Amino acid sequence: MLIPFTKMQAQGNDFVILNLLGQTEARYPLDELAEDVCEPAFGIGADGLVALLDDPEADARMLIYNSDGSRAAMCGSALRCCAQLLGSLLDKTELTLNTDSGLKAARLERIPAGDRVCVNLGQPRMLNGEASLNGLLGCLVDVGNLHYVTFWDDLQDQHLVHGEAIEKHHPYDRGVNSQFVEVISRQEILMNIWENGAGPTLACGTGAVASVFCGCHKGQLAVPVTVTMPGGTVLIDILEDGSYTLAGEVETVFNGVYRWKI
C-alpha cells in the first residue's frame, strides 16, 4: 500500500501527517501504521502520526497517534503543524480543527524567520497542585491531556529518568506526560520533556502551556513567557477569558510516499 505523507516539525517535535480530507474515517488501522512509520530505523521516523479528516464542525478533524501506536487526545505541536498544512491547502489564515479534546482555533502568521502558528488551547485545569509521583512533588495539569510538572534549580538530562518511571507506573488511565522546568526569570523558563507514548522529545506544546500555567499558579511566572526546549522556543500567553495561547514556528521537512507492507 502506498501512502502519501508530509513530514513536519515544530521545535523538533516531528510528525508524519496524512491528508485524508474527503474522508471521515481512515481506511486502514492508524495505530498500527503509527508504530511502523514512526520507527526511525525502519520507517520514516517521527514522534507521532497525525491524520487530517473531514469534519462537519471544523476545517478538519485531527487524529493523533503516538509513536508506540497509542492514541493522544491533544498535541500542541501537531496542532500547529496541521494548521499550517491545512491553511496552505485551503488558502486560509484563520482555522478551526476538531480534536479529541474539542475544537481548537489556530492563526497563521508570516514572520521573517518563516511560518509561525498561534493556537488557542483553552483554559488549563489544575487537578492537583501538590501531586506526588515517583518521589517528586509537582503539579498535575490538564491541557486536553495530562501533564506532571516539576521545578528544578538546575535542569539536567538525568531528570528524564523520572519521566520514564512516571509513564510506566502512573495511576492515570489516560497516561501522563512529564515536564521538568527551570525558571530563568518571571518571563522565561527552560523545559525538558518525557512524553507519554513517545519518550524524550525535543519539544511539547501542551507541556509548555502546562508548565507556564503551573508557574503562574505558584507566583513564579507572569505572561508572556518564553519557553526554551531542546528543539527551540515557543511563546505562551493568556487571553482575557483565561485561555492559553501557544505560538511558535513550524516547518515542512519533506513530502513523500510510504510503502506500507500491511
Side-chain angles (χ1 to χ4, degrees):
M1 178 184 294
L2 299 178
I3 302 176
F5 69 89
T6 299
K7 175 79 177 285
M8 299 188 71
Q9 64 89 12
Q11 291 71 52
N13 208 185
D14 59 340
F15 307 94
V16 173
I17 301 177
L18 308 181
N19 176 4
L20 302 182
L21 296 176
Q23 306 175 39
T24 57
E25 299 291 340
R27 300 190 180 102
Y28 35 77
L30 294 177
D31 54 347
E32 296 178 23
L33 178 61
E35 288 189 85
D36 286 347
V37 300
C38 293
E39 170 59 49
F42 299 98
I44 299 166
D47 293 323
L49 172 74
V50 187
L52 286 174
L53 296 152
D54 280 355
D55 189 279
E57 299 180 327
D59 291 299
R61 180 185 176 204
M62 182 178 75
L63 301 183
I64 312 164
Y65 288 84
N66 297 313
S67 58
D68 67 355
S70 61
R71 183 82 164 260
M74 172 48 55
C75 175
S77 300
L79 179 64
R80 286 183 292 128
C81 287
C82 287
Q84 198 278 336
L85 178 60
L86 191 61
S88 65
L89 292 172
L90 302 180
D91 193 25
K92 298 177 67 173
T93 57
E94 302 281 343
L95 301 124
T96 303
L97 291 93
N98 208 350
T99 75
D100 286 357
S101 294
L103 292 170
K104 305 297 178 184
R107 182 179 71 253
L108 278 56
E109 304 169 344
R110 288 295 299 172
I111 59 174
D115 295 323
R116 182 171 65 185
V117 181
C118 180
V119 294
N120 184 339
L121 292 179
Q123 298 182 14
R125 291 190 301 134
M126 180 67 73
L127 302 182
N128 189 341
E130 295 185 352
S132 178
L133 290 176
N134 200 48
L136 303 179
L137 187 65
C139 300
L140 186 66
V141 181
D142 188 339
V143 193
N145 53 4
L146 290 178
H147 292 271
Y148 187 60
V149 182
T150 56
F151 290 85
W152 303 78
D153 293 331
D154 180 20
L155 200 60
Q156 300 178 23
D157 288 343
Q158 57 260 40
H159 295 157
L160 293 178
V161 301
H162 292 287
E164 183 175 17
I166 290 169
E167 179 187 11
K168 292 179 178 178
H169 300 102
H170 64 77
Y172 306 103
D173 292 339
R174 288 191 288 161
V176 62
N177 304 278
S178 295
Q179 269 67 51
F180 306 93
V181 178
E182 178 183 344
V183 176
I184 304 303
S185 71
R186 286 182 60 80
Q187 294 188 302
E188 182 181 2
I189 63 173
L190 303 179
M191 187 182 87
N192 281 343
I193 306 113
W194 185 280
E195 288 199 56
N196 178 53
T201 58
L202 296 179
C204 179
T206 52
V209 167
S211 297
V212 172
F213 173 73
C214 186
C216 289
H217 178 80
K218 290 178 172 292
Q220 296 176 276
L221 301 174
V223 294
V225 177
T226 298
V227 180
T228 299
M229 301 169 284
T233 63
V234 294
L235 184 68
I236 309 299
D237 209 344
I238 305 177
L239 302 179
E240 290 185 0
D241 66 356
S243 296
Y244 273 62
T245 62
L246 161 69
E249 297 173 35
V250 301
E251 179 187 32
T252 297
V253 182
F254 60 87
N255 295 292
V257 176
Y258 185 68
R259 186 184 297 275
W260 192 29
K261 299 177 181 178
I262 186 172

